[in-house]
Amino acid sequence: MTRQSIAAVLCVCLGTSVVGFVGGNASAAARPMADQMSTVVVTLREQTDLSLGAKKLSDARPEQTVRTLKSTARKSQAEIRSLLAKRRDAGAVGRVTPLWITNALSVTATPDVIAELAARPDVESVVPDALDLVPAMVTPEPNLAAIHADAMWDLGHRGSGVVVASLDSGVDASHPD
């Protein structure tokens, strides 16, 4: 990642401007939140090749695909997870959640640790692990206007923590639940 992209990630996480970060020079005025943690998704460069020549790994037995994805993540995340454990002991990392399907980690850490991760050659990208799309809407779309969603938003109800979909491979109508 370039210094500008690292700076942009930090600014999004901290809610600050890019001024003072461009070129990697964080001024003292731009660092007042250095002890505040943000959550980001760190995606590693190494990804599982889901093709095996003419045969795709995804066409193989699902267990083989899962084993291969987990193995890639375990091997390529080992060094970063060790670093994050040390940073956690120092109080600079709060939570680390390995994501083996995408070979990434969700990391809650200080801006210094996030910048350190983004600068690593084995890291493909670092992006904020949260999106707040509702405030960006000026007027709700017709379907949301029809149910008066904007009135609920004005009351502070944003739907956070609500399940909006459930995907399943099938339904057992005879199941007691």
Side-chain angles (χ1 to χ4, degrees):
M1 294 184 71
T2 66
R3 287 182 180 206
Q4 279 83 5
S5 60
I6 294 168
V9 168
L10 290 173
C11 292
V12 169
C13 292
L14 297 174
T16 61
S17 70
V18 179
V19 176
F21 283 99
V22 176
N25 299 321
S27 68
R31 285 186 261 151
M33 306 168 120
D35 59 341
Q36 188 175 13
M37 292 191 188
S38 299
T39 303
V40 295
V41 174
V42 179
T43 302
L44 300 182
R45 287 192 190 281
E46 184 176 346
Q47 295 294 315
T48 302
D49 182 7
L50 294 177
S51 64
L52 298 173
K55 180 180 175 158
K56 292 182 179 177
L57 179 60
S58 58
D59 292 338
R61 298 183 60 102
E63 298 84 10
Q64 180 183 355
T65 301
V66 169
R67 270 194 310 274
T68 303
L69 288 167
K70 285 183 175 180
S71 175
T72 299
R74 184 175 47 255
K75 290 174 187 172
S76 63
Q77 293 177 11
E79 191 176 315
I80 288 180
R81 289 175 72 178
S82 175
L83 170 74
L84 292 171
K86 291 175 187 171
R87 299 298 182 264
R88 177 183 284 146
D89 292 344
V93 172
R95 180 183 58 82
V96 176
T97 304
L99 307 168
W100 54 267
I101 292 175
T102 59
N103 196 17
L105 300 116
S106 175
V107 179
T108 301
T110 62
D112 290 343
V113 172
I114 293 169
E116 182 178 9
L117 292 171
R120 291 176 58 95
D122 56 345
V123 170
E124 177 68 29
S125 66
V126 177
V127 296
D129 192 13
L131 296 175
D132 187 10
L133 301 176
V134 175
M137 293 183 191
V138 176
T139 57
E141 294 181 21
N143 58 334
L144 296 174
I147 62 169
H148 305 289
D150 54 337
M152 296 304 290
W153 298 338
D154 290 342
L155 295 172
H157 302 290
R158 305 276 183 192
S160 177
V162 176
V163 176
V164 295
S166 177
L167 303 175
D168 199 334
S169 59
V171 176
D172 179 1
S174 64
H175 193 279
D177 288 341

